[in-house]
Amino acid sequence: MATRSLWRTGRNLAVFSATVCGGSAAAAIATSEDPAKTLKLLTTVPIRLFRDSVTAASIVFDYEYSLWGLREGSVEISKVKHEVHLRSARKLQELCFRNGGIYIKLGQHIGQLEYLVPQEYVQIMRESMLNKCPVSSYDQVCEVIKKELGETPDKLFSEFDRDPIASASLAQVHVARTHDGQKVAVKVQHTHLTDTAAADHATVDFIVNTIHRLFPAFDYRWLVDEIRESLPKELDFLVEGKNSEKCLDNFRKLSPHIADYVYAPKVYWNLSTSKLLTMEFMDGAQINDVKTIQRLGIQPNEVAKLVSQAFAEMMFKHGFVHCDPHAANLLVRPSPSSKRSILGKRKPQLILLDHGLYKDLDFYTRTNYAALWKALIFADAKAIKENSVKLGAGEDLYALFAGILTMRPWNRVVDPAVDHLVIRGADGDRSELQMYASQYFPQISELLRRLPRVILLMLKTNDCLRAVNNSLVQESSLLTFFVVGKVSSEAVIEAKLLQRKSLLCWLNVWLAEILLEARLFGMQMALWLLQLRKALSWGN
């Protein structure tokens, strides 16, 4: 009954929205201060709303018709569900590409939600949404550049490639060369994106609120609120440039021990505006291109370790976090400051791209989040509950929150074994994760509604980092958890030092540091023994 209701609702929404919006268009245009922009919105919103409604109704009907009469738990229903998931994911993929803009960003986000959506959706969105986005024509690129800088690309640059090397949801990147010979990457916002973004927000807002009224368990209004807050910042490329400089400055001041191993492209401010960003061109391997990374003389496990350390430092110490670290935004190259080892290996340098989406974590949130991860790494059930509650999960959903962060069930989260958080890429593990996602969907939705939006973005960041790690080492590496445990523990100790400055406090902190080092040393020894045991078993 619910799915039939949604089918009828989708059909009625499309007809109703087109009628109402069309009937009021003339009056709105006549009274608008910008008639052209208003006309664009009033013609775009009904079309997208109609397209959204038809796609949603088609997906719901496919599920209802295909699964009708099949027994839950049977082999047949599993096979049919897989086929419907694939068809529906492709329909959603097509909708995202046709609408573009925000919809592609939503598709990218869906590609990280392993704990909430079927694996078929995750796989299709990850494969298509990162670097296969729609491309603006060269004429449209020239229109943006001339409007922003007053000249066409051929006059501003000595060379300018007409074809982009990458295209994302909000912009595309062209390779160029300045008149003084510097090779640069020019990021150009898609034409009229500001207008379509407003239309996208209106349609997404309408759809999400309507679905929530029909099915209260599906409450994703927080997603609309987050888009409303973050999108204007992402559409201002001057903010992105300032974010990249602040990020590097934080590493130099707060994490000097790894500052040489983290880099962001230099910004050419004289050739940059809110819709155009000219940056130093970076040569490097994409973070999930393991073969190229190995050809550069870099070990993938060293890259995984560096990624974990860099983002742990941002989350637990800097409080200024790059929240979109998917594979297309991370490059790797040999560190310019390192020399080859005897075996010909090089230290990696992580290059961070696309600095449009950052979040500030206040001292309270940052400290509690660090304490939570410390508790997760060391399987401290009491501290996990305490810090989860402080972050908003509540007394009833703290175990679910821990499970989403680690992608492990509660019994594994609190298992004292050194490798208790490691996810092995076996089908059994994946099936278990999907089972939990299906079984606890209402509770997951409630948790996401309840958590502060900044923590929701930390979840998104965590999902992206997990996907990157899996592509580098094929399974979640115990070494990366060791790194996260070390950085989060250090952050907790530093926070205590800042809060209390008595001699007794200093002595307590000093003792805590000694105990931490002993605990980490024990964890490192267990890691070596585990690796030795695996090596011996492989030898046999």
Side-chain angles (χ1 to χ4, degrees), residues 257-318:
H257 54 292
I258 64 166
D260 288 342
Y261 302 103
V262 180
Y263 191 75
K266 171 189 172 184
V267 176
Y268 290 78
W269 291 107
N270 61 319
L271 293 170
S272 298
T273 70
S274 61
K275 293 182 172 59
L276 182 75
L277 190 64
T278 303
M279 303 161 285
E280 172 187 6
F281 181 84
M282 306 305 304
D283 272 317
Q286 194 163 296
I287 198 85
N288 58 359
D289 188 352
V290 175
K291 290 183 179 179
T292 301
I293 289 172
Q294 290 172 328
R295 280 200 298 269
L296 292 171
I298 300 171
Q299 295 177 303
N301 65 316
E302 286 292 317
V303 178
K305 178 182 175 182
L306 176 59
V307 171
S308 296
Q309 185 167 13
F311 279 86
E313 297 277 340
M314 278 192 266
M315 287 186 284
F316 306 139
K317 294 185 178 181
H318 305 176

Side-chain angles (χ1 to χ4, degrees), residues 311 321-325 357-359 454 457-458 460-461 464:
F311 279 86
V321 187
H322 187 308
C323 291
D324 204 15
L357 184 58
Y358 270 74
K359 273 296 177 181
V454 68
L457 273 177
M458 292 305 101
K460 175 181 182 289
T461 304
C464 291

Side-chain angles (χ1 to χ4, degrees), residues 52-71:
D52 294 347
S53 303
V54 169
T55 300
S58 173
I59 289 173
V60 170
F61 179 78
D62 193 0
Y63 274 101
E64 181 183 84
Y65 178 79
S66 301
L67 301 178
W68 183 267
L70 297 180
R71 183 170 55 84

Side-chain angles (χ1 to χ4, degrees), residues 115-116 220 222 444-451 456 459:
Y115 53 82
L116 195 60
Y220 287 86
W222 57 266
I444 293 173
S445 298
E446 168 60 20
L447 177 65
L448 297 180
R449 183 199 65 78
R450 187 183 295 180
L451 291 170
L456 294 175
L459 288 177

Side-chain angles (χ1 to χ4, degrees), residues 112 149 315 437:
Q112 310 299 334
L149 295 177
M315 287 186 284

